[in-house]
Amino acid sequence: MKIAIVGPGAMGCLFAAFLSKTDADIVLIDKDSQRAEKINQQGIIVEGVSGSWQAKVKVTSDIKDIGALDLILLCVKSYDTKSACAQVKLLAGENTLVLTLQNGIGNIEILGEIIGQDKIIAGITNLGSTLIGFGHINHAGFGETIIGRMDNKLPAGMRSIREVFNKAGLDTRISRDIKGLLWSKLVINAGINPLSAITRLKNGRLVEAEPARKILRETVTEVVKVIKRKRIKLIFDDPLAKVEAVCEATAGNVSSMLQDVLNNKRTEIDFINGVVVRMAQELGVPAPVNSFLVELVKTIEISYGLSLK
Ligand code: PAF
């Protein structure tokens, strides 16, 4: 199986390193040629729960000679999905599947429109990874990866992806309820990410510190109201308990949004709580806490020089 991973961030490096343990042919694509060359030479350096190890992975910014691919794994931030599509479109052949495990809601729609809905596989991953430097990550946690399609079809290629991911040691299964799954992950991200980014607390502290826990619960309650009005069924019965359990299970994690803020980068707020606020407005459901969190995160982005989009 030939796989291109687009984006050398925390998740892209983690998948590239693990998948390089299999007989799959892996290429990591980085739009920055200098960084690509550096990672190419040093390999991907992994520390954390899987130990300290290094993976030799081919990294390139030149996509001309990559050839036919079975899979493109998109590991860019949600706000870069649209711009990455140009590259993905050039890379995708007739039989190539494109997998998004990105946080938030909206990526499938963007990809589907430009690449074609038939090629898209979506999912979530509970793997944890933090970028320490170019091609250097802290593998923060193991966790399940779940993939599926919005149309619930089961193309053979999807089973091959499951097989190769599992061979790499990445616990992966297929779900027939990908919509429920994506919205369930959104509930978790909407509760944890902005609050951790604003308070700079690791996930575990969000439930230990009572005032933070109160905000977390109010945020999640609003998100669930919107989801109920959209008649989307979550994969867990008690969303509040689930989000708190994820905080505990990933207690040591610096959430991806907090990582962005600490690195003065744009966050995925528009694809997480921003989606909730927009839907709440359309439905006439109040979502003041989510709205407030969105404005605060955007204010933080402005504080380090990003213009408001
Ligand atoms: O975005 C993240 O950091 C992760 O999706 C999660 C589940 C919040 C854990 O840190």
Side-chain angles (χ1 to χ4, degrees), residues 22 37 40 61 66 80 88 100 120 124 128 141 146 173 185 193 201 219 238 273:
T22 69
E37 194 38 45
N40 218 356
S61 59
I66 287 183
D80 277 335
V88 174
T100 162
I120 313 301
I124 61 145
I146 311 173
R173 68 179 169 90
K185 181 77 192 292
N193 293 26
L201 293 176
T219 313
D238 187 342
N273 305 73

Coordinates of all heavy atoms in Angstrom, one line a residue, residues 22 37 40 61 66 80 88 100 120 124 128 141 146 173 185 193 201 219 238 273:
T22 N 5.5 -0.8 9.0 CA 4.9 -1.8 8.2 C 5.6 -1.9 6.8 O 6.5 -1.1 6.6 CB 3.4 -1.5 7.9 OG1 3.3 -0.3 7.1 CG2 2.7 -1.2 9.2
E37 N 13.7 18.6 4.0 CA 15.0 18.1 3.9 C 15.6 17.8 5.2 O 16.2 16.7 5.4 CB 15.9 19.2 3.1 CG 17.2 18.6 2.6 CD 17.2 17.2 2.1 OE1 16.2 16.9 1.3 OE2 18.1 16.4 2.4
N40 N 13.9 14.7 6.5 CA 14.4 13.6 5.7 C 15.7 13.0 6.2 O 15.9 11.8 6.3 CB 14.6 14.1 4.3 CG 14.2 13.1 3.2 OD1 13.8 12.0 3.5 ND2 14.3 13.6 2.0
S61 N 8.8 17.9 -0.5 CA 7.9 19.0 -0.8 C 7.6 18.9 -2.3 O 6.8 19.7 -2.8 CB 8.5 20.3 -0.4 OG 9.7 20.5 -1.2
I66 N 5.7 11.4 -7.2 CA 5.2 10.5 -6.1 C 4.5 9.3 -6.7 O 4.6 8.2 -6.2 CB 4.4 11.2 -5.1 CG1 5.3 12.1 -4.3 CG2 3.6 10.3 -4.2 CD1 4.7 12.8 -3.2
D80 N -6.5 24.8 7.1 CA -5.6 24.6 5.9 C -6.2 23.6 5.0 O -5.6 23.3 4.0 CB -4.2 24.2 6.4 CG -3.4 25.4 6.8 OD1 -3.7 26.5 6.3 OD2 -2.4 25.2 7.6
V88 N -3.7 17.8 -2.7 CA -4.4 16.5 -2.7 C -5.0 16.1 -4.0 O -4.9 15.0 -4.5 CB -5.5 16.5 -1.6 CG1 -6.3 15.2 -1.6 CG2 -4.9 16.7 -0.2
T100 N -9.5 11.8 6.3 CA -9.3 12.9 7.2 C -9.7 12.5 8.6 O -10.7 11.9 8.9 CB -10.2 14.1 6.9 OG1 -10.3 15.0 8.0 CG2 -11.6 13.8 6.4
I120 N -13.7 10.2 -0.2 CA -13.4 10.6 1.2 C -13.8 9.6 2.2 O -14.9 9.1 2.3 CB -14.1 11.9 1.5 CG1 -14.0 12.9 0.3 CG2 -13.6 12.5 2.8 CD1 -12.5 13.3 0.0
I124 N -12.1 9.6 13.4 CA -11.5 10.3 14.6 C -10.3 9.5 15.1 O -10.2 8.3 14.8 CB -12.5 10.5 15.7 CG1 -13.0 9.1 16.2 CG2 -13.7 11.4 15.3 CD1 -13.2 9.1 17.7
G128 N -2.7 10.7 21.0 CA -2.2 12.1 21.5 C -0.8 12.3 21.0 O 0.1 11.4 21.1
G141 N -0.2 9.8 24.0 CA -1.2 8.7 24.4 C -1.6 7.8 23.3 O -1.6 8.3 22.1
I146 N -10.9 5.5 14.6 CA -12.2 4.9 14.0 C -12.4 5.6 12.7 O -12.4 6.8 12.6 CB -13.4 5.1 15.0 CG1 -13.0 4.7 16.4 CG2 -14.6 4.3 14.5 CD1 -14.1 5.0 17.4
R173 N -10.6 0.7 14.0 CA -11.7 -0.1 13.6 C -12.6 0.8 12.7 O -12.4 2.0 12.5 CB -12.5 -0.6 14.8 CG -13.2 0.5 15.6 CD -13.9 -0.2 16.7 NE -14.4 0.8 17.7 CZ -15.5 1.4 17.6 NH1 -16.4 1.2 16.7 NH2 -15.9 2.3 18.6
K185 N -17.0 13.5 18.8 CA -15.6 14.0 19.0 C -15.7 15.5 19.2 O -15.0 16.1 20.0 CB -14.7 13.6 17.9 CG -13.3 14.1 18.0 CD -12.5 13.3 18.9 CE -11.1 13.9 19.3 NZ -10.1 13.9 18.3
N193 N -11.0 22.0 24.4 CA -10.0 22.8 23.7 C -10.0 24.3 24.0 O -8.9 24.8 24.4 CB -10.1 22.5 22.1 CG -9.7 21.1 21.8 OD1 -9.8 20.2 22.6 ND2 -9.2 20.9 20.6
L201 N -4.4 25.4 31.0 CA -4.4 24.2 31.8 C -4.3 23.0 31.0 O -5.0 22.9 29.9 CB -5.6 24.2 32.7 CG -5.8 25.3 33.8 CD1 -7.1 25.1 34.5 CD2 -4.6 25.2 34.8
T219 N -20.5 24.6 28.7 CA -20.1 24.6 27.3 C -20.7 23.4 26.6 O -21.4 23.4 25.6 CB -18.6 24.5 27.0 OG1 -18.0 25.5 27.9 CG2 -18.2 24.7 25.6
D238 N -24.1 9.8 28.1 CA -23.9 10.9 29.1 C -22.7 11.8 28.6 O -21.6 11.6 29.0 CB -23.7 10.3 30.5 CG -23.7 11.4 31.5 OD1 -23.5 12.6 31.2 OD2 -23.8 11.1 32.7
N273 N -16.0 25.1 18.3 CA -17.1 25.9 18.9 C -17.7 26.9 17.9 O -18.9 27.2 18.0 CB -16.6 26.7 20.1 CG -15.9 25.7 21.1 OD1 -14.8 25.3 20.8 ND2 -16.5 25.4 22.2

